[in-house]
Amino acid sequence: MKIVIDMMGGDNGLEATIPATKNFINEHKDLDIYLIGSIKELKENFNESEHIHLVESKTIVKMDADPMSAMKDKESSLMVGIKTYLDNNCDAFISAGSTGALLTAATFKIKRMPGIIRPALITPFPTMIKNKRFVVCDLGANTVCNKEELNQFAIMGSIYYKSLFSDQENPRVYQLNIGTESEKGTEVNKETYKLLKENKDINFLGNIEGRDPLFGEVDVLVTDGYSGNIFLKTMEGTAKAMSSMLKKAFKRNLLAMIGYLFSKKGINELKETMDYKNVGGAMLIGINGVVIKAHGSSDPKSFLSALHVAYKLVNVDIINKIKEKI
Amino acid sequence: MKIVIDMMGGDNGLEATIPATKNFINEHKDLDIYLIGSIKELKENFNESEHIHLVESKTIVKMDADPMSAMKDKESSLMVGIKTYLDNNCDAFISAGSTGALLTAATFKIKRMPGIIRPALITPFPTMIKNKRFVVCDLGANTVCNKEELNQFAIMGSIYYKSLFSDQENPRVYQLNIGTESEKGTEVNKETYKLLKENKDINFLGNIEGRDPLFGEVDVLVTDGYSGNIFLKTMEGTAKAMSSMLKKAFKRNLLAMIGYLFSKKGINELKETMDYKNVGGAMLIGINGVVIKAHGSSDPKSFLSALHVAYKLVNVDIINKIKEKI
């Protein structure tokens, strides 16, 4: 398996990517790995070998860079990474850098799969049921979508779900909407409802509101990137706010602190479940290769989790599975 | 103050409205109150007087009723309520019934304020800062909005915020978006950004993502009803899921249960803060009168809270304050 890692992207850059990559290399012995970044630091941390390639990049694409201009900087870790990916016929590319720049560069250089209208961002999320996840597609790659695009998101989302999780033979697909009835929402929502209902390749169960996916009934949540992004960030913000309120509640006096010690195990498990850093990387699904966007504020743990997602998706050959269906 | 209450609307009907209304009448001695519903039950629970009027209605509008058809049923508690409101020149109308039916009936019968393009749903939400609230407008009355409508939501939202809370002379207005930069989001987002920036009547501070309002920096969050509804329900669902996970964490063994007893006070305060039933009613802002939609699943506590919101908004004369600015 040939994997390219942008070591410089993300808010924490090498501080996150170096420890994560070391762990990853130790866990998997079947890797041909290309690390892109400042050569000095890479050499200090990794021994070049037949299977570990260190590739120099000179610049870093800013997190808020304009995607089209970013593509012109050929010496950035992003663009050197994509060139390395293409030149060596690799299987996966992982970056914690700017989502827009990664999406644009991947679409133009690695290109879409044949038949795919637009690639989308997809990732799994926790639910309150232990170990049960659901996936959301699109999380923000496409601000406005039409019904054909959303229909492809439903197909790709179902394949992605089955590739990562084995609890559902026919993943339960829902459309994110502001009510459950078929005629709810925008004109696109109504048209998409009909198209998804007719699609025999997926198990479409109807519309669902933002309040329900966390309770475990949904496997694939289909949405345009705008609403998907609002959904994702609201969930993230609410979980973060409640976790810090919880922390404060346990610190209000000695008794409460003792209370925390007694109930620590369950409480930490709850915080762990709802910590979106554990979610790992979002796949740019629809691109002709496994391209993973790690969280911009990745720490070593979440970057490692993005690497694991890439490994698993290459291993199950998700790209060919999607090609068969589209 | 003349207030009309639809006693039959909502999932719990009289079970919620009777205890709430009794409490409300006991607390306020300056009320002329009209209770609309099944006359038998109303007579068993309230003594008719100079200030307490019991008005019979025969039917109840279903929660998922088609709004236009609902208006034709003149004997429903909703339509009798609106007629009573108009005939007696009342100040406020409160219902926990169907949002769509209430919105349509209020728009056609009570009508919009002069100059208002479209009414919107607005309500306050808790943040992690004690007693600090923010308001969201629109929460779901208008699926698609243009920049002029959103600009009016910003003006009305600022007046509403100042009427309910006194912590900000110039409420801080943000547009809900998928990024903070001015050029983020849909075409409407970009145009609205410019218009809000130019508007000297409001204190517009830019775009904000769904993850941030709970942390206390926002006073008025402006959004179309579609995204506002996704935001509201995702926040509600995440808070509910985390609260039940918390409950489970404290029940996993005896030690954890003792832990709960020790930290109970802070934990219950947290749950109380994030319980959306405490939020009270949403105002149909832009209608030429105080019309409040209580939560469909209102219990006595949340219905009482909706009645308090109505009382306060009439007391501060919000309708005339908005008329002055539009």
Side-chain angles (χ1 to χ4, degrees):
Chain A
M1 188 184 301
K2 293 199 243 175
I3 292 189
V4 184
I5 306 176
D6 169 4
M7 300 294 286
M8 310 304 285
D11 299 334
N12 302 317
L14 293 165
E15 274 177 51
T17 58
I18 288 177
T21 305
K22 282 185 177 171
N23 258 321
F24 185 62
I25 294 175
N26 283 336
E27 280 178 53
H28 299 289
K29 298 300 165 200
D30 57 342
L31 298 173
D32 235 355
I33 202 157
Y34 297 81
L35 308 181
I36 318 293
S38 154
I39 204 78
K40 187 172 158 284
E41 270 117 330
L42 292 181
K43 282 200 169 151
E44 281 165 15
N45 285 282
F46 299 93
N47 297 320
E48 246 174 315
S49 73
E50 199 187 338
H51 297 296
I52 301 181
H53 315 271
L54 308 181
V55 185
E56 173 141 49
S57 65
K58 296 252 164 75
T59 61
I60 304 170
V61 170
K62 287 214 176 89
M63 293 304 276
D64 60 351
D66 168 60
M68 292 309 287
S69 332
M71 274 186 62
K72 288 180 195 143
D73 178 4
K74 305 288 180 210
E75 298 196 305
S76 69
S77 55
L78 170 64
M79 297 312 291
V80 173
I82 288 194
K83 188 172 184 302
T84 305
Y85 175 96
L86 292 168
D87 290 349
N88 298 282
N89 203 7
C90 291
D91 301 297
F93 178 56
I94 299 101
S95 173
S98 152
T99 308
L102 177 62
L103 178 66
T104 306
T107 307
F108 277 87
K109 299 291 182 184
I110 305 179
K111 301 201 161 47
R112 285 162 295 181
M113 288 179 207
I116 292 294
I117 316 168
R118 282 158 85 175
L121 274 164
I122 188 168
T123 204
F125 291 95
T127 70
M128 56 168 294
I129 315 282
K130 203 171 173 173
N131 295 326
K132 164 72 191 142
R133 299 280 183 273
F134 69 102
V135 305
V136 183
C137 184
D138 174 21
L139 282 165
N142 309 285
T143 307
V144 181
C145 295
N146 63 32
K147 62 179 176 182
E148 285 82 14
E149 288 157 4
L150 290 161
N151 187 40
Q152 287 195 342
F153 297 171
I155 299 168
M156 294 194 290
S158 298
I159 297 168
Y160 175 92
Y161 187 89
K162 270 199 285 188
S163 303
L164 283 184
F165 313 108
S166 51
D167 63 321
Q168 293 286 339
E169 184 50 35
N170 293 306
R172 296 160 300 175
V173 177
Y174 287 88
Q175 173 174 228
L176 181 62
N177 204 330
I178 58 170
T180 54
E181 302 86 348
S182 60
E183 76 286 356
K184 280 281 175 176
T186 62
E187 284 313 307
V188 173
N189 283 144
K190 293 176 209 173
E191 289 169 16
T192 304
Y193 186 97
K194 283 184 208 154
L195 193 59
L196 294 177
K197 201 87 203 165
E198 286 161 11
N199 185 342
K200 299 291 170 226
D201 283 336
I202 58 166
N203 177 20
F204 178 60
L205 296 178
N207 291 325
I208 199 158
E209 297 179 291
R211 143 181 339 120
D212 299 314
L214 275 180
F215 293 87
E217 273 169 68
V218 179
D219 300 318
V220 180
L221 185 65
V222 173
T223 168
D224 62 71
Y226 191 87
S227 303
N229 201 268
I230 302 270
F231 174 78
L232 154 77
K233 286 176 182 158
T234 305
M235 200 161 61
E236 208 177 311
T238 310
K240 200 175 151 196
M242 283 190 77
S243 290
S244 35
M245 286 165 83
L246 195 55
K247 209 167 156 184
K248 254 165 74 183
F250 282 123
K251 279 192 178 164
R252 59 191 280 155
N253 56 41
L254 186 63
L255 212 56
M257 281 187 251
I258 297 171
Y260 170 68
L261 292 179
F262 282 8
S263 47
K264 195 158 91 167
K265 212 171 157 198
I267 298 299
N268 288 349
E269 209 175 278
L270 158 67
K271 282 206 246 172
E272 190 75 359
T273 304
M274 295 306 287
D275 182 354
Y276 287 91
K277 286 209 181 123
N278 296 334
V279 153
M283 181 180 186
L284 288 185
I285 203 162
I287 296 288
N288 201 5
V290 172
V291 178
I292 303 291
K293 164 70 176 87
H295 206 293
S297 60
S298 284
D299 58 16
K301 192 170 148 197
S302 55
F303 197 76
L304 178 59
S305 148
L307 296 174
H308 283 312
V309 167
Y311 186 86
K312 180 146 193 191
L313 290 170
V314 173
N315 237 348
V316 298
D317 198 17
I318 189 167
I319 300 301
N320 282 316
K321 283 188 179 156
I322 295 173
K323 281 181 181 167
E324 279 165 26
K325 283 280 182 191
I326 296 283
Chain B
M1 188 185 301
K2 294 199 243 175
I3 291 189
V4 183
I5 306 176
D6 170 3
M7 300 295 284
M8 310 304 285
D11 300 334
N12 302 317
L14 293 165
E15 274 177 49
T17 58
I18 288 176
T21 305
K22 282 185 177 170
N23 258 321
F24 185 62
I25 294 176
N26 283 336
E27 279 178 53
H28 299 289
K29 298 299 166 200
D30 57 343
L31 296 174
D32 236 355
I33 202 157
Y34 297 80
L35 308 180
I36 319 293
S38 154
I39 204 77
K40 187 172 158 282
E41 270 116 331
L42 292 182
K43 281 200 169 151
E44 281 165 14
N45 285 282
F46 299 94
N47 296 320
E48 246 174 314
S49 74
E50 198 187 340
H51 297 296
I52 301 182
H53 315 272
L54 308 182
V55 184
E56 173 142 49
S57 66
K58 296 252 164 75
T59 60
I60 304 171
V61 170
K62 288 215 177 91
M63 293 304 276
D64 59 351
D66 169 60
M68 292 310 286
S69 331
M71 274 186 62
K72 289 180 195 143
D73 178 5
K74 304 289 179 209
E75 298 196 304
S76 69
S77 55
L78 170 65
M79 296 313 290
V80 173
I82 287 194
K83 187 172 184 307
T84 305
Y85 175 97
L86 291 168
D87 290 348
N88 298 283
N89 203 7
C90 290
D91 300 298
F93 178 56
I94 299 101
S95 173
S98 152
T99 308
L102 177 63
L103 178 66
T104 305
T107 307
F108 276 88
K109 299 290 182 184
I110 307 179
K111 300 200 161 48
R112 283 161 296 181
M113 288 179 206
I116 292 293
I117 316 167
R118 281 158 86 174
L121 275 163
I122 186 167
T123 205
F125 291 94
T127 69
M128 56 168 294
I129 315 283
K130 203 170 173 173
N131 296 326
K132 164 72 192 142
R133 299 279 183 273
F134 69 102
V135 305
V136 183
C137 184
D138 174 21
L139 282 165
N142 309 285
T143 308
V144 181
C145 295
N146 63 33
K147 61 179 176 182
E148 285 81 14
E149 289 157 3
L150 290 161
N151 188 40
Q152 287 195 342
F153 297 171
I155 299 169
M156 295 194 290
S158 298
I159 297 168
Y160 174 93
Y161 187 90
K162 271 199 284 189
S163 304
L164 284 185
F165 313 108
S166 52
D167 63 322
Q168 292 286 340
E169 185 50 36
N170 294 306
R172 297 159 300 176
V173 177
Y174 287 87
Q175 173 174 230
L176 181 62
N177 204 330
I178 59 170
T180 54
E181 302 86 348
S182 60
E183 73 287 355
K184 280 281 175 176
T186 62
E187 284 313 307
V188 173
N189 284 144
K190 293 175 208 173
E191 289 169 16
T192 303
Y193 186 99
K194 283 184 209 155
L195 193 60
L196 295 177
K197 201 87 202 165
E198 286 162 11
N199 186 343
K200 298 291 170 226
D201 284 335
I202 57 166
N203 178 21
F204 178 60
L205 297 177
N207 292 326
I208 199 158
E209 297 178 290
R211 117 167 26 101
D212 299 314
L214 275 180
F215 293 87
E217 273 169 67
V218 180
D219 300 318
V220 180
L221 186 65
V222 173
T223 168
D224 63 71
Y226 191 87
S227 304
N229 200 267
I230 301 271
F231 174 77
L232 154 76
K233 286 176 183 160
T234 305
M235 200 160 61
E236 208 177 312
T238 309
K240 200 175 152 198
M242 283 190 77
S243 290
S244 36
M245 286 165 82
L246 195 54
K247 209 168 157 184
K248 253 167 72 185
F250 282 125
K251 280 191 180 166
R252 60 191 278 154
N253 55 41
L254 186 63
L255 211 57
M257 280 187 252
I258 298 171
Y260 170 68
L261 292 179
F262 282 8
S263 48
K264 194 157 92 166
K265 211 172 158 196
I267 298 299
N268 287 350
E269 209 175 277
L270 157 67
K271 282 206 246 172
E272 190 75 358
T273 305
M274 296 306 288
D275 183 355
Y276 287 90
K277 285 208 183 124
N278 296 333
V279 152
M283 181 182 187
L284 288 185
I285 203 161
I287 295 288
N288 201 4
V290 173
V291 177
I292 303 291
K293 165 69 176 85
H295 206 293
S297 61
S298 284
D299 57 16
K301 192 171 148 196
S302 57
F303 197 76
L304 178 59
S305 148
L307 295 174
H308 283 313
V309 167
Y311 185 87
K312 179 145 194 192
L313 290 170
V314 173
N315 236 349
V316 298
D317 197 17
I318 190 166
I319 300 301
N320 281 316
K321 283 188 180 156
I322 295 173
K323 281 182 182 167
E324 278 165 27
K325 283 280 182 191
I326 295 283

